[in-house]
Amino acid sequence: MNIRKFLLISSLILIPSILQASFISFSQTKSTVNENASSIRIAVNRSNGKEAASVNYTTSDGSAKAGNDYTKKSGTLKWKDGESGNKFISIPILNDNELEAKEDFTINLSKISGDASFGILTSMTIIVNDDDDPCEKKYLNNIIRSQNSGLWNQAKTWNQARIPRAGDIVIIEHNVIAPAEPIKLDKGEFCIQKQGQLISQASLEIHAAVIHNYGTIRGADGKNGFAKPIEKCNFFQHATAGSRIEIRTDKLINKDTGKIIAGKGGDDLTYQYLSNSIGKCQGTPTQGGLGGSVEIYSTNMENRGVIKAGDGGKAEGEGTRNDDKTYVVDGPTNGGNGGFIHIWTNLKQQAISANYGTIESGIGGDALISKEFLSGNIAGQVNNDFSKSGKGGNIKLFLDLQDGIVKAHQGSLIYWGNHPNKLIAGKNASFSAEKIIFAGDSSEFDLSQLQKNSVVADEMTIAVWKTGIVNFIINKLTKDNHCQHTINDAFNITRKFEIFADQINKCKGNTVADIDESQTVNLAQLSVTNTRSFPLTEVAGTKVPIELRLFNNGTNTDNYILTTTSEADDWQFSALTTPIEIEAKEPKNFTLNVTLANTQGVENTITVKATSKTDPNAVAKIKIKMKVAPANTEQPIAKFHFSAKTFDAPTSIKLDATASSDSDGEIVDYKWFSSNGLEASGKIANMQFNHPGIYKITLKVRDNDGAIANFWQQITAQPYDPEPAAPKPASSCQLFYVKQNTQQQSQFFTISVPEFKLTKLSKLNKDFDIQDIAIDPKTHFIYASSGKKGNLYKADSLTGKLFLVGDIGFKQVDSLAFHANGTLYGWAQGHGMITIDLKKGNGTVVIPTPLFVETLTLTDKSIFYGSIENDLWKYDQDNAIFDKICPNLIGGKKHSIELIQDWILFSTNENETLKWRLIEIKTCKEIFTLDNPRRKSDKIIGAAFPINLCP
C-alpha cells in the first residue's frame, strides 16, 4: 500500500472519532469591550458532551492591569454528564477615567479533566477601549442634546424640553449661551461637537466628570468704558475684565479642533467721552480691562487644540473724535494686563497628562496718551504719571508631558513643574516668555528632545534641588559621545540662567555655560533682605544696617570673599567678615552697616560683591542706592480711600490718594501695590480684583525732597454667587411689602394669598432707608433699593435680612420694577429711568428726565405704569408714548404699586389705616380693598408680588 493511500484510509477512519470527540475551547481569539462597560461576558464552548468535564481559567495582565483596568478572575467551569454548549466567564471592567490608549489582558484555559480535550483556542485576548467620549454615546435616557441655538437655561434649547441637570450627558451641537451660575453636571459628562459653541455671558465655570471639546468654549469680552451723558466725569464707567473660564473635571480632552478661549478685556477710550480741558476731569484714569483667565483643574488632561487666555484691553487717553478734534484726558493711562493660565493635573501612575497643542496667555493691552501731555506742555501742567502697556499673563503648568507650544507675552512668566512624575519636553515642545521656571521637589526634567531655539527667554531657572535630575543630553550622540548640537542650540536665554540640581546629565564637551554665551550659570546669589524700599533716604550721619543674604547654588561647600565699593566719598562701612563659608544649596545672612555722609541731598550707589574661592568666575554682586535727605525735610503723609472696601469679585476698585499731603513741598510720585502682585501709579488709580480674598493695598508716596511715606489698608473681595445660600428667594404666593416710619427705618412684612394673613418678617432695619422692592421673575430673589445710602440689596424671603449687592450710584431710587426678561428698572429722582446691574448694583440712566415719579411697575411688553401725585400714567417704551390713563385715583398719594395681570395693586395711607386697593387698568374701577391698621408714623413704601409662584 503506498503512503498516499495509507493516509487517505487513516483519515477516513479518524474523522468519525474526531467528530464524536468532546472539545472545550474559546470560539474566537479576541473580544473588545468599552472601558465604561461594567463587565464583559465570555463564552467557553464544549462540544459532544457525554460524561462530565471541567476546565480551569485565569486572567493575566497585558497592558491592562488587574485592579486598575479589570478585576482579576480565576475559577472552574463544569459540564454535567451529557451536557454540551456554552459556559460563561464574567470579568468586571474598571473605568478609571484616565487618558489611555487601547489596553488588553488575556484569559487562559488550563487543567482540563473528564471526558473532554482542549480545542484549538485555549486563550483569548480582551481589548479594553478607553471609550469615555460622551460625543460617541447614543440611546441613553440621560443624554440631552441642543436642538437649536439658545440659552442654556431655556428648555426649548434642548431636545428633551428641559434644562440639563446633574448626571446628564450633555451634547452641544449649536451656539449655547451659558448661564451666569456655574454649570454643575457633577458625575455627568459634557461634549461640545465641532460645530458647537458654549459662550459665556459672565464668568464661565464648568463641573463635570468627563469633558470632550471638539468645538469652542468662549468667555465673553469685557465691556468698553463709556459715559452717558458725555462729558460727565462721574458717569464714566471704566472698561471691565474679560470673562474667565474655570473647568473642574476628572478628564478633559481638548481635541485638535477644540478651542478654550477666555474673554478679552474691554477697551478704555476716555477721550471719546470726556473733555480735553485739563482739570475738568482731572485725575480720571484710563484703564484697559483685564484679560480673562483660564483655570483648569483636571485629574487627567490632554490638549491638542488651543487654550488661550484673554488679551488685555487697550487704554487711550488721547485721540480724535468724529469732529476731527483731538481730545486728551488728564490721568494715568494703563493697558489691561493679559489673562493668566493655570492648569493643574493630579496624576495617577498610568494616566496621561499632556499638551500637544497651543497654550497661550493673554497679551497686555496697549496704552496711548499724547507726547505733549506727558512732557507737561499742555496748560502749563507737569505730569509725573505715565502711560504703561499691560503685562502679558503668566502661565502655570502642572503637566508631565509638554510636546506643544507654550507662549507667554511681554512681562510674563512660564512656570512648569511641581509634579510627582517625570516631566518630559517632547521634540515639538517650545517655550517663550520673559521669564521661565522649571521647578519641582525631587523631580526629573527630561529636556533631551528639545530642538534648536525651542526655549526663548530673558531669564530661566531650573530647580530640582538635591535629589532631582536635569537631563541635557540633546538628541543622539556621535561616536565620540558628543551631542549633535549643543545646549546653546536649544536654549536662547539672553540675560540669566540658573540651575539648582545635584545631577546634571550632559554630553561630552558640552558645559552648562554653553546655555548662554554671554553669562555662565549663577553659582551664587546675593540679595537684600531689608523690607524697606530703595533708594533708602535718611538724614546725614545716620548709621543704616543693610541686611544681605548670600546663597550658594553650587553642589559643594564653598568660601566667598566679600568686597564693598562706593561711588561717593565720605561714606563709612563696617568691616565684613571674609571669607565666609557656605554649605551647598544653603544661604547665609550678614549685615553691612553704612554711615551716611554729612552732605545733605547727596546720592550714592554701594556695590557689594561676593567671589567664590573655588571658582573665581562665580561672582555675585548687588548695587544698593542710598540718599542723604535735605535739611529740615518733613516726611510726607500718605492717605487714601477706596470706591468700595467690600465688594463682589470681579470688580475694578478706584484708589484715591488726594488726601495725601506734604507740609514742606509737594508729592511728586504715587505708587500702589496690592498683596496679590498688582501695581499701579498716579494720585488716582484703578485695580481689578477678579477673585475673592482679603487684599492689602499699600500706597507709597515720594515728595520733591525724596522723602517717602507708606500707608496701607485692607479690602475684601467677596465671591459673587447668583444663588447664595442666604438670602433665600421667594418660594410661595404671598405679597411682600415694606413699611417705613418717620425716621426712615424699614420693616418687612408678608400677606399670604388667599388667606390674607399678615406676618412680620423682620425687626426695624435702623441702618437702611428702603425705598422700594421688586422680585426677579426668573429667580424670585427679592431686591431692595435704599435712598439714604444709594445701595441695592437682596432681601431674604424668610427673615427680611438685607445683603448688599452694590452701590447704585444714585442716592434716591424711589421705585423698582422687573421686566419679564430679568432686567431691573428703577426711577432715580432728578435723573430719570435707570437700569440696574444685578451683580454689581450700579445703575445706568436710560431715559433722562427730571420728572418726579413716585412708584413704578411694568408689563412684559415694555409698558410702564407709574403714579404721579394722584394720577396713574402709562409709558409705552417701544412706541415712546406717555399718557395719563387714570386721573384722580381714590385714596390720595400712592406709596407702592404692583402689576398683577390686568390690575394694578397700590397702597395708600388714609387716616389710621393702610389701605390696599386693586383697580382694573381698562376701567380704572376699584374691585378690591384691604385694610391694615397702622401707626400714624407708618407708611407702605414698597411692595412686590411673585406672580409666577401663584396658581
Side-chain angles (χ1 to χ4, degrees), residues 107 127 176 399 728 762 779:
I107 308 174
I127 299 171
V176 175
L399 303 171
K728 297 178 178 62
S762 70
T779 65

Side-chain angles (χ1 to χ4, degrees), residues 250-510:
D250 292 331
K251 181 176 180 179
L252 171 65
I253 305 290
N254 194 41
K255 296 291 187 176
D256 54 358
T257 57
K259 297 178 181 179
I260 302 175
I261 303 175
K264 173 188 173 298
D267 296 334
D268 225 24
L269 311 180
T270 50
Y271 73 87
Q272 291 187 352
Y273 300 94
L274 304 182
S275 174
N276 64 333
S277 301
I278 295 297
K280 187 172 182 180
C281 293
Q282 188 170 8
T284 300
T286 302
Q287 176 67 59
L290 296 178
S293 60
V294 177
E295 297 176 67
I296 297 174
Y297 305 90
S298 180
T299 305
N300 310 270
M301 192 197 88
E302 180 180 285
N303 175 50
R304 293 185 179 273
V306 174
I307 300 175
K308 173 76 167 69
D311 295 338
K314 64 182 178 182
E316 295 186 5
E318 178 263 343
T320 303
R321 295 188 195 167
N322 292 333
D323 58 7
D324 292 330
K325 294 181 180 179
T326 298
Y327 293 79
V328 178
V329 177
D330 180 13
T333 303
N334 299 304
N337 290 341
F340 66 85
I341 292 179
H342 185 176
I343 298 177
W344 173 274
T345 59
N346 183 16
L347 292 185
K348 300 175 184 177
Q349 185 175 359
Q350 296 181 5
I352 300 170
S353 180
N355 172 50
Y356 302 98
T358 299
I359 298 174
E360 182 178 1
S361 68
I363 303 171
D366 291 334
L368 175 65
I369 195 168
S370 72
K371 295 179 181 178
E372 290 84 0
F373 180 71
L374 287 175
S375 61
N377 290 332
I378 294 183
Q381 299 291 318
V382 176
N383 194 303
N384 291 306
D385 299 329
F386 55 93
S387 171
K388 289 194 302 185
S389 295
K391 294 182 179 180
N394 294 335
I395 298 177
K396 289 187 178 181
L397 299 179
F398 299 83
L399 303 171
D400 63 341
L401 174 60
Q402 202 310 84
D403 200 21
I405 298 170
V406 178
K407 185 177 183 180
H409 295 277
Q410 183 176 2
S412 58
L413 164 77
I414 292 175
Y415 180 98
W416 180 36
N418 274 13
H419 207 285
N421 294 352
K422 178 179 180 179
L423 291 94
I424 303 172
K427 65 179 181 180
N428 298 310
S430 70
F431 301 84
S432 60
E434 187 169 302
K435 187 172 184 178
I436 298 176
I437 298 175
F438 294 170
D441 294 340
S442 305
S443 296
E444 178 180 350
F445 280 91
D446 185 350
L447 309 178
S448 62
Q449 301 180 58
L450 288 174
Q451 303 297 302
K452 188 173 183 179
N453 288 326
S454 55
V455 182
V456 179
D458 291 341
E459 299 182 10
M460 184 167 186
T461 300
I462 301 176
V464 293
W465 307 110
K466 292 189 176 181
T467 58
I469 301 172
V470 178
N471 184 13
F472 277 123
I473 299 179
I474 307 240
N475 287 354
K476 297 179 181 179
L477 302 180
T478 59
K479 290 182 179 180
D480 58 354
N481 201 33
H482 279 72
C483 289
Q484 288 184 344
H485 62 266
T486 66
I487 296 173
N488 193 43
D489 289 334
F491 291 87
N492 185 356
I493 312 300
T494 60
R495 191 161 60 226
K496 182 175 68 174
F497 198 109
E498 298 173 318
I499 299 177
F500 302 84
D502 266 0
Q503 182 175 338
I504 301 176
N505 298 336
K506 58 185 188 301
C507 304
K508 182 179 179 181
N510 194 352

Side-chain angles (χ1 to χ4, degrees), residues 244 290 295 340 640 642 644-653 655 672-679 687-699 711-719:
R244 58 185 287 268
L290 296 178
E295 297 176 67
F340 66 85
F640 67 90
F642 305 102
K645 202 162 188 175
T646 301
F647 52 88
D648 289 344
T651 297
S652 178
I653 295 301
L655 310 171
W672 303 86
F673 305 93
S674 171
S675 57
N676 63 342
L678 297 179
E679 296 182 11
M687 282 187 176
Q688 178 83 17
F689 295 90
N690 288 334
H691 303 288
I694 298 175
Y695 300 96
K696 178 181 178 181
I697 307 298
T698 301
L699 169 65
F711 179 71
W712 66 269
Q713 297 187 66
Q714 283 187 339
I715 59 173
T716 302
Q718 302 176 139

